[in-house]
Amino acid sequence: MILMLAAAAAPKLLPLPGLGPHVGNNDSIPWTIVFTLTLLTLLPAIVLSMTPMVRLLVVFHFLRQALGTQTAPSNQVLMGLGLMMTWFLMQPVLVQVQQQAVVPFREGKISGWEAIERGAEPPKHYMLRYAREKDLALFASADMVSRPAKPDDLPLRVVVPAYMLSELKSGFEIGAVLFLPFMLVDMVVASITTAIGMYQLPPVVISTPLKILLFVMADGWHLLAGSLLKSF
């Protein structure tokens, strides 16, 4: 969403007469540049707080811990996979932002602030779909927001943290279920090695290759990606 708005604002930097209808009454090239750079600076935080990225990364790190591989796959690989899956999942939302905010802004039909307000609506509806009611009520009461007639009336400062809490809970639930079969392998291997008197050989040395082999034979990455996509 932010990249689309920034890209839409960039072509307007050169023609000074064309800035007036788009940004506001006190238009100038420096303020437009500051506005665009600010949006780009906040982009990583927005991706982590308003997209499925949180749930995906939590599940991926649970998987890595369950496999016992420590640093494989690396953080960069998991982040890249999470970003691509997030882009795939958020594509319908980005299309709505493009149609409701970016296109009218480029055509000069709305101002910059109105484009931001319109562009925030599709992500807000997306987050409300997955935010739990109790999390929304928690932040609404803490913010002393009057009880709205419908969830769409809640401000973003309430919806975003509630959505993040809900995504963290969902990620931990999936990660816990994912952890159980690998923990079972660890317990079986530890019992066998203890029973035959292999006290000097750590059970993890034997269980780690077995868990990786089990995960590969079951085509685990395909199953995990499919389950995560179906959870949205």
Side-chain angles (χ1 to χ4, degrees):
M1 178 187 71
I2 301 301
L3 280 178
M4 287 184 174
L5 294 177
K12 306 296 181 182
L13 296 179
L14 292 179
L16 287 174
L19 285 176
H22 300 287
V23 183
N25 297 325
N26 299 324
D27 299 323
S28 62
I29 291 180
W31 278 112
T32 306
I33 294 175
V34 170
F35 177 73
T36 304
L37 292 179
T38 302
L39 292 180
L40 292 177
T41 303
L42 295 175
L43 182 61
I46 292 174
V47 171
L48 285 174
S49 59
M50 300 175 65
T51 68
M53 192 72 171
V54 175
R55 185 189 304 189
L56 297 177
L57 289 182
V58 168
V59 173
F60 290 157
H61 283 285
F62 263 105
L63 173 64
R64 190 169 64 182
Q65 292 296 321
L67 287 173
T69 54
Q70 304 300 324
T71 57
S74 64
N75 289 333
Q76 291 83 353
V77 173
L78 296 180
M79 184 67 71
L81 178 59
L83 280 173
M84 292 300 102
M85 292 182 66
T86 299
W87 183 25
F88 177 81
L89 291 168
M90 294 297 291
Q91 190 66 27
V93 179
L94 295 177
V95 171
Q96 293 180 14
V97 174
Q98 173 79 15
Q99 295 173 350
Q100 297 181 17
V102 178
V103 173
F105 178 79
R106 285 179 172 175
E107 295 176 353
K109 298 179 180 178
I110 58 176
S111 65
W113 291 115
E114 188 176 356
I116 293 176
E117 292 176 356
R118 288 191 182 186
E121 288 301 317
K124 181 179 177 180
H125 292 158
Y126 171 84
M127 289 185 288
L128 285 172
R129 190 187 314 164
Y130 297 103
R132 297 185 303 168
E133 185 177 350
K134 61 189 304 183
D135 293 329
L136 291 171
L138 170 66
F139 286 98
S141 60
D143 195 42
M144 298 182 181
V145 177
S146 58
R147 186 175 182 85
K150 54 184 179 178
D152 290 343
D153 296 334
L154 288 170
L156 277 176
R157 66 179 181 273
V158 172
V159 176
V160 173
Y163 170 76
M164 290 188 70
L165 279 186
S166 301
E167 286 296 283
L168 284 173
K169 182 179 185 296
S170 300
F172 271 77
E173 287 177 345
I174 298 173
V177 174
L178 186 66
F179 215 104
L180 292 178
F182 298 105
M183 185 176 66
L184 181 61
V185 174
D186 286 332
M187 293 174 61
V188 171
V189 171
S191 300
I192 294 176
T193 54
T194 303
I196 62 178
M198 299 176 60
Y199 296 106
Q200 296 183 351
L201 181 64
V204 68
V205 176
I206 301 176
S207 64
T208 298
L210 292 178
K211 290 187 291 186
I212 295 175
L213 181 62
L214 176 65
F215 186 73
V216 172
M217 290 180 62
D219 199 4
W221 285 110
H222 176 81
L223 295 175
L224 179 62
S227 300
L228 287 173
L229 292 177
K230 293 176 182 178
S231 67
F232 290 97

